[in-house]
Amino acid sequence: MTALLRRDLPDGEARWSGDPPFNFVGGHNDPASVPFGGFAEAAAVALARHGPALARYNLGGSPQGHLPLREFIAAALDRRAQMPTDPSEVLVTSGSLQALDLVNAAMLAPGDPVVVEEATYAGTLSRLAERGAEVHGVGLDRDGIRIDHLDEILGNLAARGRRPKFVYTIPTVQNPTGTVMPVERRHQLLEVARRHRVAIFEDDCYADLVFDGSRPPTIRSLDTTGGQVVYCGSFSKTLAPALRVGYIVADWPLMGRLLALKTDAGSGALEQIVIAEYATAHFDAHVAQLTGVLDSKCRAMAAALRDNLAGVAEFDPPKGGIFLWASLPPGVDTAELVAPAAAAGVEFNPGAGWCVDPAYGASRMRLCFGHLPTEAIAEGIAALAGVVHASLD
């Protein structure tokens, strides 16, 4: 059979052999905080109410998704993110990755320029590469996108007769850096993008997990002229990654095109009815509890890095989420540490895969603190530090 496969396929994956003792990769969250008891109760109620509708695709309703879930999403965005939203502007997707795929499919042709943050979500970079986009990385500081650099990039492209289709940004708890873009800079981003007639793709999957609870308004909510920002979110980081439920918020001229591209016969309905039932009553309290847990884990990882890699690993403590972005001395290639770290029972994300310029990310690493208990975080960072020190020696 393998002789019949396409020649341009990526290399095959190895068989999964289980997690290492200290797994700092991926977007895994705190197991004890998954509200599985609440899900069980919500599932019983939701199935009693909507069970017969499972006999029809999309529960016999709109292809945009389960209406009570879209109503919850709209109300939560209004309440928590200062973004009044109509349920008709919401499309439920199979995770935020499908949201990325749909927006990319609607907007990008091979060779189209796109601007993304210099360090960004690896899934975004891989999908842009699949579509043949011309990707330009814009610099970051402790407040997110550098507006001066963005203006320079857009101006240089305009001088060559090139206009990016969109600026992709993760403004609230940026992945992987953990920064939160201030409101003033959000206004500046909108102004620069509007002046250059460029859309903004706002990815807000971690926005509910700001440690101090001060979630700023979305960029889309600040777009008073309308039609400039397409927005996506997810329940993967707030409820459970395995649920695979995300959503897009867009005006109808784009929404109608996204629906035409979403040819999967609808995202999973069971997940939608359970989330709608559970989240309507418990979402705010659950997120407050989860954020406190993640804050404690983040502090534990930061303390372990200071104890074991003082003067070697540099980082700015993230303002929320589940990731810490650390830099090792110039000349260190974290990709070369993957194998010896695995031998020590540690897995982490080398930084090159999370950056537009792999050389920029070569000495960096992304560490997920969401999944392991605090004691295991400290033990795992100590083991990783042993690998780093051996490499430096």
Side-chain angles (χ1 to χ4, degrees):
M1 188 70 71
T2 55
L4 303 176
L5 298 176
R6 284 172 28 210
R7 293 176 179 268
D8 59 346
L9 284 179
D11 293 337
E13 292 289 334
R15 292 182 186 271
W16 187 70
S17 57
D19 277 343
F22 308 112
N23 182 3
F24 296 128
V25 304
H28 307 303
N29 218 320
D30 180 58
S33 295
V34 175
F36 45 83
F39 287 165
E41 295 175 4
V45 174
L47 284 170
R49 183 178 296 136
H50 302 288
L54 291 169
R56 300 181 62 187
Y57 289 100
N58 295 308
L59 299 169
S62 167
Q64 288 180 250
H66 185 46
L67 180 58
L69 179 57
R70 290 187 287 123
E71 289 174 337
F72 167 76
I73 291 169
L77 288 171
D78 189 4
R79 183 179 71 254
R80 299 178 64 90
Q82 303 174 49
M83 187 170 106
T85 302
D86 190 277
S88 67
E89 299 172 321
V90 179
L91 169 62
V92 178
T93 60
S94 301
S96 65
L97 283 171
Q98 188 181 44
L100 295 178
D101 287 338
L102 289 171
V103 173
N104 287 344
M107 300 188 72
L108 296 179
D112 280 344
V114 172
V115 178
V116 306
E117 290 152 335
E118 188 171 46
T120 191
Y121 176 39
T124 297
L125 293 176
S126 64
R127 278 156 169 76
L128 291 174
E130 287 173 3
R131 299 210 67 86
E134 178 186 291
V135 180
H136 299 265
V138 60
L140 295 166
D141 61 21
R142 293 180 179 180
D143 288 331
I145 284 180
R146 283 179 40 214
I147 301 301
D148 60 330
H149 191 206
L150 176 63
D151 201 10
E152 178 186 348
I153 290 172
L154 295 178
N156 290 339
L157 285 170
R160 294 164 41 205
R162 306 277 285 160
R163 178 162 58 121
K165 288 297 184 70
F166 56 76
V167 176
Y168 171 83
T169 179
I170 309 172
T172 309
V173 189
Q174 204 268 351
N175 178 11
T177 64
T179 60
V180 175
M181 187 183 295
V183 175
E184 180 181 2
R185 187 168 296 193
R186 293 169 189 243
H187 282 291
Q188 293 170 346
L189 173 58
L190 269 169
E191 189 279 324
V192 169
R194 185 177 297 118
R195 177 157 40 86
H196 289 278
R197 298 174 56 239
V198 175
I200 296 173
F201 187 177
E202 181 177 13
D203 184 343
D204 234 13
C205 289
Y206 298 86
D208 282 304
L209 300 181
V210 180
F211 291 151
D212 65 6
S214 58
R215 175 177 177 172
T218 68
I219 297 172
R220 180 176 167 87
S221 72
L222 303 176
D223 177 19
T224 55
T225 60
Q228 189 179 353
V229 183
V230 57
Y231 178 95
C232 80
S234 172
F235 291 102
S236 290
K237 302 305 178 286
T238 51
L239 293 180
L243 288 174
R244 311 309 308 132
V245 178
Y247 53 91
I248 298 172
V249 181
D251 299 319
W252 189 258
L254 176 58
M255 179 64 73
R257 298 302 183 94
L258 298 176
L259 276 173
L261 291 167
K262 193 175 187 294
T263 56
D264 59 357
S267 297
L270 185 59
E271 297 94 319
Q272 294 185 54
I273 63 175
V274 171
I275 291 176
E277 190 68 37
Y278 173 81
T280 300
H282 305 293
F283 187 78
D284 289 357
H286 165 74
V287 168
Q289 178 273 332
L290 173 61
T291 303
V293 170
L294 295 177
D295 190 9
S296 297
K297 291 189 174 193
C298 180
R299 294 175 189 272
M301 177 171 280
L305 286 168
R306 294 187 186 105
D307 290 343
N308 293 279
L309 287 169
V312 176
E314 296 183 356
F315 62 92
D316 290 321
K319 295 184 178 180
I322 58 176
F323 303 121
L324 187 148
W325 184 240
S327 300
L328 298 181
V332 175
D333 186 349
T334 55
E336 296 179 358
L337 304 181
V338 170
V346 181
E347 192 172 4
F348 68 92
N349 290 124
W354 302 84
C355 296
V356 177
D357 179 4
Y360 171 79
S363 63
R364 293 169 165 82
M365 61 175 66
R366 194 188 75 155
L367 301 166
C368 175
F369 52 79
H371 189 64
L372 294 177
T374 53
E375 300 81 7
I377 289 173
E379 189 177 349
I381 292 300
L384 177 60
V387 173
V388 172
H389 286 300
S391 171
L392 293 175
D393 291 343

